[in-house]
Every structure is written in C-alpha cells, then in structure tokens.
Amino acid sequence: MATSDAPLSDEERAELEALRAERAEREELEQARRERAELARLKAERERIQRESEQDARDRAIRERNAKLMEPDEDLNMPVGQKVVLIGIAAVALIVLLMTVFG
C-alpha cells in the first residue's frame, strides 16, 4: 500500500478501527490470562505456606511431647520415658539372670 499525506478513506478508517479493536481484544485476553496465572500462583503459594505452618505446629507439638517424656522437669525428677526404659532393661536383665540360673 502506498503511503500518502492524504487523509484516510472511510474504508481505510474502518479497517484501522477493526485492527485496533482486534489488538485491544488480544491485549485484554492476554491480560486476563496473566491475571489467572498470577491468581493460581498466589493460591498455590498460600496453600504451601498454610501446609508448612500446620506441619511446623505438628512438629512443635511432637517435640514438646517428647521433651516432656524424655527430659527431666524443673525439679530434676526422672522423666516417664527414662523410667520405662530402665524398667525394660531391668526386666530383660532379670529374665537373662533367671534363664542362666534355672536354665
């Protein structure tokens, strides 16, 4: 198409407007696609953070429970876990002793 300084004809103006409308529609669709992708990414990030915080809370509760079972309290009393282990060892030693004496 030859370039000229003459104003656009009605046909050319209509074609220009149609092309502009197509471009605007493509840009709107691309913007919507980007927004959907961002929404999906943000939702996934929020879910990941929530899962991590729930896992951290579970881990913290397990550590606290284990500490209560296996670490002495403020009065340095023997914790329940250690008592159970010592009773188990004593029972095994008693069984071995009885087996050697009567066995």
Side-chain angles (χ1 to χ4, degrees), residues 50-72:
Q50 185 176 1
R51 280 193 311 272
E52 287 176 356
S53 66
E54 290 171 357
Q55 183 64 40
D56 289 345
R58 282 192 297 268
D59 292 347
R60 190 171 34 259
I62 290 170
R63 280 193 302 274
E64 289 172 3
R65 187 181 72 230
N66 290 343
K68 185 177 179 183
L69 285 174
M70 296 306 288
E71 294 177 5

Side-chain angles (χ1 to χ4, degrees), residues 52-98:
E52 287 176 356
S53 66
E54 290 171 357
Q55 183 64 40
D56 289 345
R58 282 192 297 268
D59 292 347
R60 190 171 34 259
I62 290 170
R63 280 193 302 274
E64 289 172 3
R65 187 181 72 230
N66 290 343
K68 185 177 179 183
L69 285 174
M70 296 306 288
E71 294 177 5
D73 61 9
E74 294 173 3
D75 297 331
L76 297 178
N77 293 328
M78 186 179 292
V80 175
Q82 286 181 353
K83 290 177 184 177
V84 169
V85 169
L86 289 176
I87 290 171
I89 291 172
V92 169
L94 181 62
I95 290 170
V96 169
L97 180 65
L98 291 173

Side-chain angles (χ1 to χ4, degrees), residues 27-39:
E27 288 173 353
E28 287 175 10
L29 290 174
E30 179 61 24
Q31 178 67 22
R33 186 196 61 76
R34 282 193 305 265
E35 288 174 351
R36 280 191 298 277
E38 181 182 11
L39 176 63

Side-chain angles (χ1 to χ4, degrees), residues 8-26:
L8 296 176
S9 67
D10 290 338
E11 184 180 303
E12 290 173 328
R13 188 168 307 281
E15 182 181 4
L16 177 62
E17 291 300 320
L19 292 173
R20 285 180 178 165
E22 287 176 17
R23 182 181 64 197
E25 184 179 349
R26 280 193 314 271

